[in-house]
């Protein structure tokens, strides 16, 4: 019997597809990575009986990155990233060990069926899966085919079974186009981002953004927002005048007429027209015309239109709306939500989808009427050759989906019903009047057939005053004629919906990436989302875009990225060479980068006007070890210390508070220490600003505080305050937080484990002695007599935090989910380091590995 491995894009999809194909007769188990399940059943595959194993990945298996040293901002010139820097594929999420999991499940399989999402990203993931699995699968006999691709658009029985019966092959060209986009975005984005971040953060203190990023799509997206901001700022309102007339067809009613000239910008001319018309006593009907007009039903729904409506009408950001749509898709409520197509294929079962909605109280009557009278064929839209338009695949209730999920599902369903409804028809009556020599008009509309507006009431023809019955030559008394003074108004800031329209129009991003680019400019503090989901650029966003325009407008205009997107589409169609497109585009941007670096002074001039230099920012905090003057602490992201005398900047740990640490100094460089804290419930540790940026010992890396410093005698170092191997992570050491009393704690210097102990103790010190059992450092604890929890009213005790029974009830683990009590099993398997290379008296480092007591200690903490 052959074994067939099947791989979907998400665990929930794998379960749904396996359930359909096995008709519910399957067994399930967790995979070795804990995130993915494996569903097994027996069936037939291409006419032979087979054992099926259905599992999934969690999105991309691999990600593209530079190799080792090229990830260092300090050691590499950003210009090298365009060509010299080699790239490699790394696991996208190493914690999931996805490659190992796929190889374990794929070993010994004969065939593989790829159920990844049917878009370009999905095709790319297909080949990531194949790279992992093919080496361990059974070798094919002769020219036997072993790789199959399932094409589907929804998680319904019909669609899934149909896909299984018509298996194709994965598309190498589409996968290559994604590889090309990834490499271009990585090389171009990293080069510009590293250069401008280092340049401007080294000069200005209040940029309030930890990263000044550039992206080939992100920057033109920001450009649209700033362009609208500039129009608002440069707008000069003009005064104009409008002539408004009212006639009284009957005693009790009046009719407001619109002036055919619309408006004039000269006050005296407007006054002249008013004087002329005031001489007339009656308004004469010059013509009456009636026309039947049609308001067309909408085109079928694609991703961009769904995101526009979600933002404008439902108040959901594009990325959030996309997440909800994906959830509805994986649960089988709607078809695949990433599509550019607005045209249904001829064989699409429109009636079947409509029947699903026949019992929903909100639109049951409309649906039943359509099914009995016959549905209309949807309007002919654009066929992009990807997926059918977004369609509801099964009925749902508000209780099933919850607030936002229901709102989006309701809109998708109403939109679908509207596409198969009739157009809205109405009768438009236009009456033309003359008052003296001036012409005025009045328009009225009466709905004759509501059509699709029954199910999309927000598209209703607005109810207007009914026009009087009249004929040419009729005269009506004039109620009043007046001159209205008005002003032209500036445009408003772009809404997300308008920005999505502009991005689609100019070819910036894809239906899948548009929400990501909009989210990025918000995250980077380039724009803020105001009421009505309008995007208002920040000072930083405005200056950046103006700077790009000043140096090289093509960096921010949509034209060059639009051309690149066309090239990438040609790769996907097999009409362009992957390597040539990559080489050509990188060459263009490399030249632009060099010109940008040479001309950066132009952008810097704009920055100087808007932002404060480092020397003028922040407040004095700690003394520099070189000049002994106070350095300033800059709180704006990224927080850092700056010595204006030495003109040096020192980066600090982020996302916490920084304060001076008792005016104590580092014994190596004489810098005053500072204390970083993530809050009363989190961890805190002291650090030397200089050592944090320039590691003093070979076994230290940049970004290490005193709790990881291997100085043998400094009272703040790991050697003096380290207690024992972390009970959670491989390499961490639990270090005493000497500032935490009276709520004493020790925290791991690698992960988020915190151990609270000896509450209300007067003093806690780390002893030079070590435990005979686990080689963790002993701890000396001194309690006040009134609050001592020690037996026999003792106030002092020295012992091992882990092994001493006296301390057992005084130790509590926080902030970590424990593994199984016997987590690594067996003596000596846990490569523990005691208290971080087990310090002996005199501070010398002892390379001896401690005994593995940690497995037993885990049980102690549970």
């Amino acid at each position: 019997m052959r074994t067939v491995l099947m791989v979907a894009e998400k665990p929930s999809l794998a379960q749904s597809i396996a359930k359909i194909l096995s008709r519910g007769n399957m067994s399930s188990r967790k995979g070795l990575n804990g995130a993915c399940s494996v569903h097994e059943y027996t069936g037939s595959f291409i006419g032979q009986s087979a054992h099926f194993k259905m599992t999934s990945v969690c999105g991309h298996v691999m990600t593209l990155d530079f190799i080792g040293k090229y990830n260092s901002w300090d050691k590499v010139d950003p210009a090298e990233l365009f060509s010299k820097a080699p790239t490699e594929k790394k696991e996208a999420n190493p914690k999931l060990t996805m490659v190992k999991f796929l190889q374990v499940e794929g070993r010994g399989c004969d065939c593989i069926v790829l159920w990844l999402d049917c878009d370009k990203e999905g095709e790319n993931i297909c080949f990531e899966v194949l790279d992992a699995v093919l080496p361990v699968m059974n070798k094919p006999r002769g020219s036997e085919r072993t790789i199959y691709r399932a094409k589907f658009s929804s998680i319904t029985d019909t669609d899934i079974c149909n896909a299984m019966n018509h298996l194709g092959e994965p598309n190498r060209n589409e996968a290559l186009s994604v590889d090309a986009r990834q490499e271009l975005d990585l090389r171009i984005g990293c080069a510009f981002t590293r250069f401008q971040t280092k340049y401007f953060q080294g000069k200005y203190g209040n940029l309030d953004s930890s990263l000044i990023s550039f992206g080939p799509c992100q920057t033109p997206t920001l450009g649209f927002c700033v362009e609208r901001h500039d129009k608002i700022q440069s707008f000069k309102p003009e005064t104009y005048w409008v002539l408004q007339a009212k006639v009284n067809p009957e005693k009790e009613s009046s009719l407001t007429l619109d002036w055919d000239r619309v408006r004039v910008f000269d006050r005296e001319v407007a006054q002249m027209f008013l004087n002329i018309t005031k001489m007339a006593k009656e308004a004469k009907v010059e013509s009456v015309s009636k026309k039947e007009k049609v308001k067309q039903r909408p085109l079928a729904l694609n991703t961009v239109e769904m995101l526009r409506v979600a933002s404008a009408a439902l108040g959901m950001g594009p990325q959030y709306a996309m997440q909800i749509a994906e959830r509805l898709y994986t649960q089988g409520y709607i078809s695949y939500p990433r599509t550019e197509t607005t045209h249904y294929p001829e064989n699409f079962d429109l009636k079947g989808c409509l029947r699903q909605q026949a019992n929903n109280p909100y639109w049951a009557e409309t649906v039943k009427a359509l099914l009995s009278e016959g549905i209309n064929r949807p309007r002919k839209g654009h066929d992009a050759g990807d997926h059918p338009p977004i369609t509801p695949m099964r009925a749902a209730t508000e209780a099933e989906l919850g607030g936002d999920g229901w709102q989006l599902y309701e809109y998708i369903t109403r939109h679908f019903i509207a596409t198969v409804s009739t157009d809205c028809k109405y009768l438009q009556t236009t009456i033309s009047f003359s008052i003296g020599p001036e012409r005025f008009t009045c328009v009225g509309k009466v709905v004759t057939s509501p059509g699709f507006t029954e199910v999309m009431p927000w598209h209703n023809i607005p109810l207007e005053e009914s026009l009087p019955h009249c004929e040419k030559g009729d005269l009506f008394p004039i109620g009043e004629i007046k001159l209205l003074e008005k002003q032209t108004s500036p445009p408003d800031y772009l809404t997300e919906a308008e920005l999505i329209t502009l991005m689609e129009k100019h070819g910036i991003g894809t239906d899948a990436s548009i929400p990501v680019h909009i989210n990025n400019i918000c995250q980077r503090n380039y724009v803020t989302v105001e009421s009505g989901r309008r995007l208002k650029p920040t000072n930083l966003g405005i200056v950046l875009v103006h700077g790009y325009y000043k140096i090289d407008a093509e960096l921010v205009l949509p034209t060059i990225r639009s051309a690149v997107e066309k090239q990438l589409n040609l790769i996907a169609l097999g009409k362009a060479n992957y390597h040539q497109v990559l080489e050509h585009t990188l060459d263009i941007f490399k030249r632009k980068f060099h010109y940008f670096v040479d001309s950066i002074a132009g952008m810097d001039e704009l920055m100087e006007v808007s932002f404060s230099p480092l020397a003028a920012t922040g407040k004095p905090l700690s003394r520099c070890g070189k000049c002994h003057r106070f350095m300033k602490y800059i709180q704006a992201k990224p927080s850092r210390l700056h010595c204006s005398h030495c003109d040096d900047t020192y980066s600090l740990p982020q996302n916490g508070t920084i304060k001076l640490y008792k005016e104590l100094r580092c014994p190596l460089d004489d810098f005053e220490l500072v204390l970083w804290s993530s809050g009363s419930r989190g961890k805190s540790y002291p650090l030397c600003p200089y050592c944090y940026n320039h590691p003093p010992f070979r076994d230290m890396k940049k970004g290490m505080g005193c709790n990881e410093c291997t100085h043998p005698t400094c009272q703040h170092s790991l050697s003096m305050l380290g207690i024992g191997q972390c009970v959670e992570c491989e390499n961490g050491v639990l270090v005493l937080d000497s500032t935490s009393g009276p709520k004493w704690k020790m925290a791991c210097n690698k992960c988020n484990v915190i151990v609270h102990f000896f509450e209300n103790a007067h003093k806690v010190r780390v002893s030079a002695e070590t435990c005979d059992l686990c080689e963790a450092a002993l701890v000396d604890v001194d309690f006040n007599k009134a609050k001592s929890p020690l037996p026999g009213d003792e106030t002092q005790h020295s012992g091992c935090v882990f092994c001493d029974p006296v301390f057992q009830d005084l130790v509590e683990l926080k902030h970590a989910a424990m593994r199984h009590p016997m987590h690594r099993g067996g003596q000596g398997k846990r490569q523990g380091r005691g208290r971080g290379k087990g310090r002996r008296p005199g501070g010398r480092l002892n390379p001896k590995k401690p005994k593995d007591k940690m497995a037993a200690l885990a049980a102690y903490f549970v």
Side-chain angles (χ1 to χ4, degrees):
M1 188 187 288
R2 298 169 88 189
T3 305
V4 181
L5 178 69
M6 306 205 291
V7 184
E9 195 159 315
K10 295 182 185 74
S12 54
L13 278 176
Q15 185 180 5
S16 303
I17 294 167
K19 209 171 187 177
I20 292 167
L21 293 175
S22 68
R23 295 184 175 82
N25 188 21
M26 62 181 186
S27 64
S28 301
R29 59 181 167 84
K30 272 281 179 202
L32 69 85
N33 65 1
C36 304
S37 296
V38 183
H39 313 281
E40 300 185 61
Y41 64 96
T42 306
S44 69
F45 183 69
I46 314 180
Q48 297 178 16
S49 64
H51 177 70
F52 290 94
K53 288 166 78 174
M54 179 84 198
T55 187
S56 75
V57 291
C58 296
H60 273 284
V61 179
M62 310 301 281
T63 185
L64 191 71
D65 203 356
F66 296 113
I67 64 162
K69 75 164 192 176
Y70 289 94
N71 280 316
S72 167
W73 285 39
D74 298 321
K75 294 176 184 172
V76 177
D77 178 356
E80 290 182 33
L81 302 180
F82 285 98
S83 51
K84 282 187 188 174
T87 57
E88 63 178 340
K89 290 266 189 180
K90 297 177 182 174
E91 280 204 52
N93 189 342
K95 287 182 183 174
L96 291 178
T97 59
M98 195 59 75
V99 172
K100 185 181 176 185
F101 164 69
L102 289 170
Q103 288 178 342
V104 167
E105 298 303 334
R107 184 165 276 107
C109 289
D110 301 292
C111 299
I112 182 166
V113 181
L114 299 156
W115 289 86
L116 285 307
D117 288 351
C118 300
D119 57 10
K120 288 171 189 166
E121 295 288 337
E123 295 303 321
N124 190 261
I125 301 170
C126 281
F127 286 94
E128 292 175 356
V129 171
L130 290 175
D131 288 343
V133 170
L134 286 181
V136 298
M137 283 175 57
N138 292 338
K139 296 287 176 277
R141 288 168 242 157
S143 60
E144 185 185 26
R145 186 177 159 201
T146 58
I147 300 167
Y148 298 87
R149 174 74 163 113
K151 296 277 185 180
F152 59 101
S153 295
S154 62
I155 314 300
T156 59
D157 295 22
T158 313
D159 215 9
I160 296 299
C161 293
N162 193 40
M164 193 66 183
N165 295 331
H166 300 88
L167 294 171
E169 291 183 9
N171 187 322
R172 170 66 76 180
N173 291 327
E174 288 192 359
L176 281 174
S177 76
V178 173
D179 282 339
R181 178 182 279 109
Q182 283 178 351
E183 188 161 343
L184 288 174
D185 288 353
L186 177 74
R187 290 185 183 277
I188 297 165
C190 282
F192 278 91
T193 298
R194 287 186 192 183
F195 172 71
Q196 61 188 29
T197 300
K198 285 186 74 176
Y199 186 87
F200 291 120
Q201 283 185 350
K203 291 191 75 172
Y204 302 102
N206 55 343
L207 298 175
D208 203 23
S209 181
S210 50
L211 200 67
I212 303 173
S213 63
F214 174 93
C217 287
Q218 174 195 303
T219 306
T221 303
L222 174 62
F224 291 129
C225 299
V226 175
E227 185 185 6
R228 176 60 66 88
H229 167 83
D230 291 343
K231 283 181 181 172
I232 294 167
Q233 294 302 306
S234 61
F235 184 84
K236 290 192 175 99
E238 283 187 88
T239 307
Y240 65 90
W241 288 266
V242 175
L243 209 54
Q244 189 186 75
K246 286 187 180 178
V247 295
N248 301 327
E250 294 166 18
K251 283 183 182 178
E252 298 295 317
S253 65
S254 71
L255 203 58
T256 305
L257 310 183
D258 296 319
W259 191 23
D260 281 12
R261 291 185 195 273
V262 184
R263 61 186 179 181
V264 291
F265 287 89
D266 188 311
R267 169 84 202 229
E268 290 180 7
V269 173
Q271 190 64 46
M272 177 196 74
F273 284 126
L274 178 67
N275 295 339
I276 293 170
T277 50
K278 274 198 165 177
M279 292 165 70
K281 297 284 181 281
E282 290 177 313
K284 183 182 177 186
V285 175
E286 295 292 338
S287 67
V288 179
S289 67
K290 293 190 178 186
K291 279 186 183 172
E292 191 172 76
K293 294 210 165 187
V294 171
K295 186 173 186 175
Q296 281 192 311
R297 60 194 185 277
L299 284 166
L301 186 63
N302 67 2
T303 307
V304 169
E305 181 61 21
M306 178 188 75
L307 295 176
R308 266 198 291 256
V309 172
S311 176
L314 307 180
M316 296 179 197
Q319 194 157 33
Y320 179 60
M322 207 65 230
Q323 287 168 358
I324 291 174
E326 282 175 355
R327 194 183 78 221
L328 292 174
Y329 161 67
T330 54
Q331 292 171 340
Y333 290 107
I334 63 170
S335 63
Y336 192 61
R338 297 185 193 278
T339 177
E340 295 174 14
T341 296
T342 57
H343 176 74
Y344 281 107
E346 295 299 320
N347 60 352
F348 194 90
D349 185 12
L350 293 165
K351 274 191 177 172
C353 292
L354 197 59
R355 275 192 209 100
Q356 295 276 352
Q357 304 298 332
N359 295 319
N360 191 300
Y362 291 106
W363 45 74
E365 284 184 27
T366 309
V367 169
K368 284 172 183 170
L370 281 169
L371 288 168
S372 62
E373 293 164 16
I375 63 170
N376 277 313
R377 189 80 205 146
R379 285 168 59 195
K380 190 171 174 61
H382 167 65
D383 185 0
D386 49 1
H387 288 270
I390 304 167
T391 310
M393 300 313 291
R394 65 185 173 102
T397 62
E398 191 168 356
E400 278 176 70
L401 302 182
D404 291 341
W406 167 254
Q407 274 193 303
L408 192 61
Y409 174 83
E410 182 186 12
Y411 172 72
I412 291 167
T413 306
R414 286 183 181 277
H415 191 110
F416 167 68
I417 298 167
T419 61
V420 294
S421 301
T422 55
D423 293 336
C424 170
K425 293 177 183 170
Y426 60 94
L427 189 67
Q428 181 171 296
T429 306
T430 307
I431 306 174
S432 182
F433 291 88
S434 62
I435 300 177
E438 287 304 293
R439 288 291 184 105
F440 294 81
T441 307
C442 182
V443 178
K445 296 169 186 170
V446 178
V447 175
T448 54
S449 168
F452 78 93
T453 61
E454 281 187 335
V455 78
M456 292 178 99
W458 56 92
H459 282 300
N460 274 341
I461 302 297
L463 289 168
E464 295 176 352
E465 298 174 62
S466 55
L467 297 184
H469 179 74
C470 56
E471 292 177 2
K472 186 178 177 181
D474 286 357
L475 298 172
F476 291 106
I478 296 169
E480 67 169 338
I481 297 180
K482 61 182 177 182
L483 205 56
L484 300 179
E485 184 179 304
K486 296 186 176 184
Q487 275 198 325
T488 55
S489 57
D492 214 331
Y493 284 105
L494 282 179
T495 61
E496 282 172 334
E498 290 165 339
L499 180 57
I500 291 166
T501 305
L502 284 169
M503 291 174 76
E504 184 194 31
K505 178 184 170 186
H506 292 281
I508 298 298
T510 62
D511 53 1
S513 66
I514 282 173
V516 178
H517 301 313
I518 295 175
N519 189 54
N520 279 345
I521 62 172
C522 297
Q523 298 268 303
R524 297 280 183 265
N525 195 31
Y526 294 160
V527 299
T528 55
V529 182
E530 306 288 312
S531 63
R533 300 210 67 85
R534 293 189 178 276
L535 301 170
K536 184 179 181 181
T538 62
N539 221 358
L540 179 58
I542 294 162
V543 171
L544 279 174
V545 169
H546 289 175
Y548 294 133
Y549 271 118
K550 195 172 180 181
I551 296 170
D552 181 356
E554 282 191 335
L555 291 174
V556 75
L557 289 170
T559 46
I560 195 162
R561 182 61 194 195
S562 181
V564 171
E565 289 287 351
K566 283 175 186 165
Q567 292 294 314
L568 294 174
N569 283 332
L570 289 175
I571 294 174
L573 296 168
K575 294 179 180 177
N577 180 280
Y578 163 80
H579 294 289
Q580 286 176 351
V581 169
L582 210 57
E583 199 176 316
H584 176 67
T585 309
L586 286 173
D587 184 54
I588 290 171
F589 273 97
K590 187 178 181 180
R591 290 162 192 263
K592 287 186 174 296
F593 177 76
H594 284 297
Y595 183 71
F596 179 72
V597 171
D598 294 341
S599 314
I600 194 68
M603 187 184 276
D604 198 21
E605 286 169 10
L606 301 176
M607 285 280 187
E608 277 177 352
V609 176
S610 300
F611 299 103
S612 310
L614 280 173
T617 315
K619 56 184 181 182
L621 181 72
S622 67
R623 288 184 186 273
C624 169
K626 295 176 185 177
C627 66
H628 299 291
R629 288 179 169 86
F630 276 104
M631 296 190 291
K632 285 189 171 178
Y633 171 46
I634 297 154
Q635 278 184 288
K637 285 183 184 177
S639 58
R640 54 213 191 272
L641 284 167
H642 178 71
C643 177
S644 51
H645 184 263
C646 304
D647 197 22
D648 284 331
T649 305
Y650 301 98
S651 58
L652 295 169
Q654 302 298 305
N655 305 319
T657 57
I658 292 280
K659 59 184 181 185
L660 190 62
Y661 185 53
K662 305 176 185 173
E663 296 187 1
L664 296 169
R665 293 175 184 269
C666 175
L668 293 171
D669 48 47
D670 215 28
F671 272 73
E672 279 188 337
L673 302 182
V674 294
L675 183 75
W676 177 86
S677 172
S678 62
S680 58
R681 293 186 179 182
K683 63 180 183 180
S684 56
Y685 57 85
L687 63 110
C688 163
Y690 190 83
C691 295
Y692 187 82
N693 290 271
H694 306 93
F697 303 113
R698 273 187 188 173
D699 55 355
M700 288 180 66
K701 293 178 184 170
K702 188 175 177 180
M704 286 185 169
C706 296
N707 63 345
E708 294 183 80
C709 176
T710 51
H711 192 293
T713 58
C714 174
Q715 60 176 324
H716 316 293
S717 72
L718 168 66
S719 305
M720 301 300 279
L721 296 177
I723 292 175
Q725 166 76 40
C726 178
V727 294
E728 272 288 306
C729 65
E730 283 291 332
N731 303 313
V733 177
L734 293 166
V735 182
L736 173 67
D737 182 349
S738 54
T739 65
S740 57
K743 296 189 175 182
W744 298 93
K745 60 190 173 190
M746 56 179 175
C748 176
N749 58 7
K750 298 286 185 193
C751 71
N752 64 349
V753 166
I754 293 178
V755 177
H756 292 269
F757 53 12
F758 315 129
E759 189 168 347
N760 296 321
H762 177 55
K763 276 184 188 172
V764 177
R765 289 182 300 277
V766 181
S767 165
E769 304 296 320
T770 54
C771 174
D772 293 335
L773 289 170
C774 68
E775 288 212 1
L778 300 185
V779 177
D780 300 330
V781 186
D782 190 349
F783 280 98
N784 289 327
K785 194 162 190 175
K787 294 185 177 178
S788 176
L790 298 174
D793 289 333
E794 291 283 328
T795 58
Q796 292 180 331
H797 188 76
S798 182
C800 175
V801 172
F802 304 109
C803 310
D804 195 321
V806 175
F807 286 160
Q808 189 157 346
D809 296 329
L810 306 178
V811 181
E812 179 191 4
L813 182 79
K814 286 274 178 76
H815 276 236
M818 293 302 299
R819 293 182 190 156
H820 189 274
M822 303 299 289
H823 33 167
R824 310 261 320 169
Q827 281 287 329
K829 294 260 182 85
R830 179 86 174 174
Q831 294 294 301
R833 299 188 308 174
R835 52 173 312 211
K837 302 187 180 176
R839 184 178 57 78
R840 290 293 170 98
R844 288 176 306 187
L845 299 178
N846 173 21
K848 179 186 168 192
K849 300 286 183 212
K851 298 169 193 171
D852 180 29
K853 184 68 177 170
M854 290 304 129
L857 296 177
Y860 165 83
F861 281 115
V862 170

